[in-house]
Amino acid sequence: MTGAALGGIAVGLALSFILCVATSVIAVLTGSRATLPGLFTAAAGTENGALALEFQPNFVGIAVLIAVSVLVRVVMAVRSNHASPGPTGRN
């Protein structure tokens, strides 16, 4: 159970990082504001002639994403434990 929860945290953090990078890339490529509602907002621009990226995370949304990931992993672990046969070969 603890392993599933830790795995869920890792998956949630990785997913939020990937979404952060994707949102930032879209903002840079389009040159405008890119928003992932409830999670991130990124806007590309220039500052002193160099490319600049303004990134605004929503920490509540990220926490919800991680919590949902943990919940899914724990439920999957509990369901797989109930579905696996016992020592007698029966459920």
Side-chain angles (χ1 to χ4, degrees), residues 6-7 13 15 26 49 62 65 67 73 75 77 85 90-91:
L6 291 175
L13 287 172
L15 183 60
I26 290 171
I62 294 170
L65 177 69
R73 292 286 301 237
V75 167
R90 289 183 264 166
N91 287 343

Side-chain angles (χ1 to χ4, degrees), residues 1-61:
M1 185 75 71
T2 304
L6 291 175
I9 291 172
V11 168
L13 287 172
L15 183 60
S16 64
F17 176 75
I18 290 169
L19 291 172
C20 162
V21 170
T23 304
S24 299
V25 167
I26 290 171
V28 168
L29 290 177
T30 61
S32 63
R33 181 174 295 275
T35 301
L36 199 56
L39 294 175
F40 310 105
T41 300
T46 58
E47 189 169 317
N48 297 329
L51 179 65
L53 181 69
E54 178 186 344
F55 182 74
Q56 297 173 335
N58 181 347
F59 293 110
V60 173

